[in-house]
Amino acid sequence: MSKPRIRLGLLYGGRSAEHAVSVVSARSVIEALDPERFEVVPIGITRDGSWMLPDTPPGELVAPEGGLPEVDAAGTALALRPEQRSAALTELGVPTAGGVGRIDVVFPILHGPYGEDGTVQGLLELADLPYVGAGVLASALAMDKAMAKVVLAQAGIGQAPYLVVREHQWRADPESLALRVAEELGFPVFTKPARLGSSIGISKVKSFAELAGGLEAAFAHDAKVLVEQGVRARELEVGVIGNQRPEASVVGEVVPGHEFYDFEAKYLDESSKLVIPAPVPGAVAERARELAVRAFQALDCEGLARVDFFYLSSTGEVLVNEVNTIPGFTPKSMFPMLWDASGVPYPELIARLVDLAVERHEAKKG
Ligand SMILES: Nc1ncnc2c1ncn2[C@@H]1O[C@H](COP(=O)(O)OP(=O)(O)O)[C@@H](O)[C@H]1O
Ligand SMILES: [Mg+2]
């Protein structure tokens, strides 16, 4: 007998600067899901944070010339009600209707703040809905590059040297902060908003004179900024899935088509290459896979994560750059491709992630 279909609530869009990337990921998930096993309920979150049953599903949204698609506000507004799980999502203004009906599992395919950072995960905990991916704490830790550094360092995981700069500190005394950066890190450095992704707001700062510009570009997104020593390194990435016993995928390499892996290189042009498996010595690949699982566990991740590395081929060092708890999820994104190369094709990967969400929810105490 076939299993009952799972009603999968797919959350996409959202308030972050990575809104459009999320729409593209959601579109791919819908296309790939086995309709005999899953019934998808697309739930769009507009840029201003309204939850909608959209009139236009993500697959039909038209992207503007040279840009990426967006959730539009046409649709039925939803409210999240932490009552019975079956009615947790209710259509606003239709109190007696069944709302969106039963949702078995939510897949928040949201990147960046208000999606990948534990906020939506907290809401789903309140509603007692099983959901794919890391819980509140791990999501929040991994999203905050400064906090993740502290926890990963505590676990003995090597990273590039850095300073955390708050906007008010910089405004109060830019000269001494700039001197500290020059003395402790040297140039180039990378200036990064602490809590964002997709390279938004990141600059490569090559000299003392460029530091203020780099910091301002990052402060435009976050009052907490990481200034990190630039490393000359190759970029490796490993997918991890699992709950208590996480497994690592094969290792991939990103070869950015630009000077670094910036937003355009990631999404808007075809200049970058993803190479799977990464052409590195076997011992380096093993080291990256082992570190990926350690980083996943150190941050208390569950479900999935993509762990990104810098490989300094001159010294053989493998440093962790960052952990992404909701990595890009189109079939051409690194995470699904790594799993495909590891013997888990895209539709199967999604099904496994849903199983892990249910397993975690069932194991939860209280
Ligand atoms: N310390 C660094 N040294 C060299 N390149 C870096 C460094 N930090 C970031 N980069 C470059 O910038 C890209 C984006 O930085 P990352 O920290 O991964 O931010 P995001 O979360 O936006 O992906 C990296 O993929 C890499 O190309
Ligand atoms: Mg990155």
Side-chain angles (χ1 to χ4, degrees):
M1 211 184 80
S2 64
K3 288 196 211 164
R5 285 211 302 174
I6 290 179
R7 289 195 93 223
L8 185 67
L10 193 66
L11 278 178
Y12 65 96
R15 287 172 57 193
S16 98
E18 293 172 271
H19 177 104
V21 180
S22 158
V23 175
V24 178
S25 292
R27 194 184 262 191
S28 314
V29 170
I30 292 174
E31 280 167 18
L33 279 174
D34 176 357
E36 303 211 335
R37 288 168 77 181
F38 295 101
E39 180 187 346
V40 182
V41 183
I43 301 165
I45 304 178
T46 61
R47 279 201 186 270
D48 62 8
S50 304
W51 291 37
M52 320 283 305
L53 278 179
D55 286 347
T56 312
E60 289 164 30
L61 287 170
V62 179
E65 186 79 27
L68 293 164
E70 285 201 18
V71 174
D72 78 37
T76 309
L78 294 177
L80 188 91
R81 299 175 30 158
E83 295 161 1
Q84 281 180 353
R85 211 168 111 188
S86 57
L89 287 161
T90 313
E91 290 170 27
L92 279 179
V94 202
T96 50
V100 299
R102 184 191 91 245
I103 298 269
D104 298 310
V105 178
V106 174
F107 191 167
I109 196 130
L110 300 163
H111 309 297
Y114 314 113
E116 191 175 352
D117 63 351
T119 51
V120 164
Q121 288 74 12
L123 201 65
L124 296 171
E125 291 285 347
L126 289 173
D128 198 25
L129 280 164
Y131 57 92
V132 169
V136 173
L137 176 66
S139 300
L141 278 174
M143 188 78 242
D144 187 315
K145 292 187 199 304
M147 291 308 293
K149 285 261 197 196
V150 173
V151 177
L152 293 175
Q154 172 71 24
I157 293 171
Q159 303 166 84
Y162 69 102
L163 289 169
V164 175
V165 177
R166 310 256 176 189
E167 187 171 3
H168 68 88
Q169 286 178 297
W170 171 252
R171 303 262 175 258
D173 189 0
E175 287 79 18
S176 49
L177 255 171
L179 282 173
R180 253 191 92 191
V181 169
E183 274 167 25
E184 293 181 28
L185 305 175
F187 292 97
V189 290
F190 281 77
T191 42
K192 315 182 185 183
R195 294 156 290 198
L196 202 58
S198 291
S199 299
I200 296 163
I202 296 187
S203 311
K204 180 174 182 178
V205 171
K206 294 178 189 162
S207 66
F208 197 87
E210 289 174 15
L211 183 62
L215 283 170
E216 293 301 345
F219 287 140
H221 298 277
D222 197 334
K224 179 159 71 164
V225 164
L226 207 73
V227 181
E228 194 176 83
Q229 189 172 82
V231 291
R232 272 179 166 281
R234 289 167 65 184
E235 298 191 53
L236 306 181
E237 304 192 346
V238 176
V240 181
I241 55 176
N243 290 336
Q244 278 101 355
R245 286 174 303 282
E247 292 170 48
S249 71
V250 298
V251 181
E253 177 168 8
V254 175
V255 185
H258 295 189
E259 189 175 2
F260 70 96
Y261 202 28
D262 60 13
F263 186 86
E264 284 71 29
K266 282 180 179 177
Y267 306 112
L268 296 180
D269 64 34
E270 309 271 306
S271 61
S272 303
K273 290 194 175 54
L274 307 185
V275 187
I276 302 173
V280 295
V284 171
E286 270 322 297
R287 174 99 183 113
R289 297 179 71 234
E290 179 221 312
L291 281 170
V293 170
R294 272 177 53 198
F296 186 95
Q297 292 180 314
L299 293 173
D300 231 352
C301 290
E302 290 167 298
L304 76 161
R306 196 193 71 224
V307 184
D308 297 351
F309 299 92
F310 295 128
Y311 166 48
L312 289 74
S313 47
S314 52
T315 62
E317 268 177 293
V318 180
L319 306 175
V320 169
N321 173 28
E322 59 160 347
V323 177
N324 296 283
T325 52
I326 309 183
F329 219 90
T330 76
K332 287 192 193 159
S333 306
M334 183 61 108
F335 183 85
M337 294 209 324
L338 287 171
W339 281 107
D340 191 67
S342 307
V344 186
Y346 191 77
E348 181 55 32
L349 177 64
I350 299 166
R352 276 216 208 172
L353 293 174
V354 170
D355 287 345
L356 286 166
V358 172
E359 176 194 291
R360 189 251 311 262
H361 187 257
E362 283 172 358
K364 203 170 68 173
K365 304 210 166 79

